[in-house]
Amino acid sequence: MSDLEQMLNPPVPITSTKVGRNDPCPCGSGKKYKKCCGSGALPA
């Protein structure tokens, strides 16, 4: 790769896709993951 290509396309850092229980839910609801998409069963 040339120097010009490296300047125009910098390497993208590798980010983890793992979501912690207390992290915000990636679905965008604003809730914590454990209270949103992280719950195993639907509330009865």
Side-chain angles (χ1 to χ4, degrees):
M1 189 182 306
S2 72
D3 291 335
L4 179 59
E5 286 176 325
Q6 270 189 326
M7 286 193 322
L8 294 176
N9 301 315
V12 178
I14 299 172
T15 56
S16 175
T17 57
K18 186 173 181 179
V19 179
R21 284 175 40 83
N22 291 316
D23 293 340
C25 193
C27 75
S29 67
K31 297 179 182 179
K32 290 186 179 183
Y33 180 72
K34 66 181 178 183
K35 293 286 188 176
C36 189
C37 297
S39 61
L42 295 173

